Amino acid sequence: MTRVRGYFHPKTATGTSSLIPSPPWHYSGDLLTVEYRTDPARVRELLPAPLELADEDPGAVALIWADWQSCAAEGAELLDPVLAQYKEAFAVVRCAYRGRTYSRCVHIWVDKDFALARGLHQGYPKKLGSIHQTRPHPYGPAPRIEAGARFGATLAAADRRLAQAVVTLREPSGTNGFVNAHPMAHHRWLPSIEKDGGLALDELVESGAAAFEAGPAWTGDAELELFEAPTEELARLEVREPIAAYYRQVGVVWDGGRLLESGTSGAV
């Protein structure tokens, strides 16, 4: 009997071609976060059963740009940077499940296939996009991490710009915001191969960092614009009230999640 190996497709005799390795996955990244308030009804429409709106500040949204380097436990990808480096932008809201507050990613775009595959495994609704953000540097014209530093960030998908922001740092902060500060509550969905067969996979899962470290957080102000696009709905989370913006460098380890329940989302 032929045996094929690999954590994810494609599975081969050696497993070398697998798009992603098995966890743990290690991440180092620069995060730009813009928090604002939208109509809570627009958040509610993105929360399938059994999730509900968060009790406090139910319309709060975090739009986050991240410039990542990532690798498996051995770290080999860091020496072949095309396999390590990627960028993403994602919208996070908060929700409630059985009396506990969770964060939930409702829209996300990445620029590498391995990052997309990891996200689908974790329950992130990842799509391909074009993401860019200003990088800090101690020399030349690039901004330093200091009061008055300005960072730009853009997001586009399918040749349409979806969001752009300019963040101006003001002062050190005790936090990196509150919207993305909880464990994630995500759904893992996979349609049945049979026509009208419903969902072959329908799981509500919890996941978070197995380990986390971070540099100093800075807060400031943001100019944020969202744009309509034919096949994207980020602009439905319209900006009604700015909250704050943040910059932070982080290190994260992801090593699996926990099943909360299955077969109850009612998704189609």
Side-chain angles (χ1 to χ4, degrees), residues 32-180:
L32 278 175
T33 301
V34 180
E35 292 187 338
Y36 66 93
R37 293 183 177 92
T38 192
D39 181 353
R42 294 292 174 86
V43 175
R44 183 67 190 89
E45 70 186 20
L46 294 170
L47 302 179
L51 302 178
E52 300 290 343
L53 284 171
D55 292 334
E56 296 183 7
D57 222 339
V61 179
L63 187 55
I64 304 167
W65 278 264
D67 189 354
W68 293 114
Q69 297 187 83
S70 65
C71 62
E74 295 78 12
E77 298 90 337
L78 298 175
L79 300 182
D80 192 359
V82 70
L83 301 178
Q85 297 174 0
Y86 72 99
K87 297 182 289 294
E88 67 185 358
F90 52 107
V92 176
V93 300
R94 295 182 307 147
C95 59
Y97 172 73
R98 294 188 176 180
R100 183 179 182 184
T101 300
Y102 285 87
S103 300
R104 181 178 177 87
C105 179
V106 292
H107 296 293
I108 181 168
W109 295 265
V110 299
D111 62 1
K112 290 288 184 67
D113 56 0
F114 63 83
L116 189 149
R118 279 193 311 222
L120 295 180
H121 173 68
Q122 296 166 311
Y124 285 87
K126 290 192 174 185
K127 302 174 72 172
L128 290 177
S130 175
I131 303 100
H132 296 278
Q133 65 192 78
T134 307
R135 293 170 175 163
H137 199 278
Y139 303 106
R144 282 65 163 163
I145 309 303
E146 61 187 11
R150 304 182 78 214
F151 295 82
T154 62
L155 163 65
D159 291 336
R160 275 85 170 186
R161 180 160 291 193
L162 306 181
Q164 62 188 29
V166 174
V167 172
T168 303
L169 301 186
R170 186 175 59 248
E171 60 191 5
S173 171
T175 74
N176 199 43
F178 68 95
V179 179
N180 195 37

Side-chain angles (χ1 to χ4, degrees), residues 138-241:
Y139 303 106
R144 282 65 163 163
I145 309 303
E146 61 187 11
R150 304 182 78 214
F151 295 82
T154 62
L155 163 65
D159 291 336
R160 275 85 170 186
R161 180 160 291 193
L162 306 181
Q164 62 188 29
V166 174
V167 172
T168 303
L169 301 186
R170 186 175 59 248
E171 60 191 5
S173 171
T175 74
N176 199 43
F178 68 95
V179 179
N180 195 37
H182 308 277
M184 308 299 294
H186 286 157
H187 279 86
R188 286 165 26 99
W189 288 315
L190 182 67
S192 171
I193 196 65
E194 296 185 354
K195 186 176 180 180
D196 302 323
L199 292 174
L201 176 67
D202 183 6
E203 294 181 342
L204 176 63
V205 300
E206 173 189 316
S207 69
F212 178 83
E213 57 183 335
W218 281 74
T219 188
D221 304 301
E223 305 165 30
L224 175 63
E225 294 179 88
L226 306 179
F227 305 100
E228 299 283 349
T231 59
E232 305 293 351
E233 300 181 65
L234 178 63
R236 287 185 64 80
L237 297 174
E238 61 184 1
V239 181
R240 290 201 169 180
E241 179 187 357

